Amino acid sequence: MDIIEAARQLGAVLQQDERYQRYLEARKANDADPELQKLVGEFNLARMQVDNEFQKEEAERDGEKIKEFNVQIRQLYGKIMCNDTMMEFNKAKADFDAVMQRVNGIIDLSIEGEDPMT
């Protein structure tokens, strides 16, 4: 077996892992959550508004608007992160990221000549 085939097999095994499946389902749930999507849309709009204000010449910038947008951004971010669907997504993502860190660590150490079995 060559290295590319081994990588493909690893990819297939990763996709079967329960942590990956949980992450995938949580991602789909995020996309399907109308309240979460509404909050994300509002958050993105507020970020665009603050970005637009910062793109203006310094003399034309409205500092009060920037402060208001930043308060709005922080409030929306808090609501997004407290959303049950988002909290489950973040937990599932962290669990799968931990698996990927371990896999990448094994690969990295193997490249350095370490025994991949230890």
Side-chain angles (χ1 to χ4, degrees):
M1 163 180 0
D2 73 355
I3 194 166
I4 301 302
E5 182 60 29
R8 287 186 174 126
Q9 286 182 1
L10 175 60
V13 171
L14 285 169
Q15 289 178 340
Q16 298 306 311
D17 187 272
E18 68 182 48
R19 291 158 291 199
Y20 174 77
Q21 292 295 321
R22 188 171 144 236
Y23 162 72
L24 194 61
E25 290 302 315
R27 190 171 73 184
K28 288 178 187 176
N30 268 4
D31 292 344
D33 183 328
E35 178 61 26
L36 179 58
Q37 292 306 308
K38 178 180 174 267
L39 290 169
V40 169
E42 291 173 7
F43 177 84
N44 288 335
L45 179 61
R47 283 188 45 203
M48 285 177 16
Q49 289 171 319
V50 81
D51 287 345
N52 288 340
E53 201 60 40
F54 269 115
Q55 289 179 7
K56 293 178 181 178
E57 294 294 324
E58 192 169 343
E60 296 176 19
R61 286 185 200 148
D62 186 336
E64 281 304 309
K65 274 188 182 179
I66 292 172
K67 286 179 187 176
E68 289 172 21
F69 291 141
N70 281 330
V71 166
Q72 184 180 13
I73 287 168
R74 282 191 295 278
Q75 289 173 342
L76 288 165
Y77 181 80
K79 288 178 182 178
I80 289 168
M81 298 314 287
C82 289
N83 176 284
D84 290 340
T85 308
M86 179 58 80
M87 289 182 353
E88 173 57 27
F89 169 80
N90 285 334
K91 175 78 171 98
K93 184 174 182 329
D95 290 347
F96 187 65
D97 284 349
V99 170
M100 289 307 304
Q101 286 176 349
R102 182 129 190 244
V103 168
N104 288 328
I106 292 168
I107 292 170
D108 289 343
L109 289 173
S110 297
I111 291 169
E112 296 295 323
E114 298 292 326
D115 182 359
M117 299 304 169
T118 59

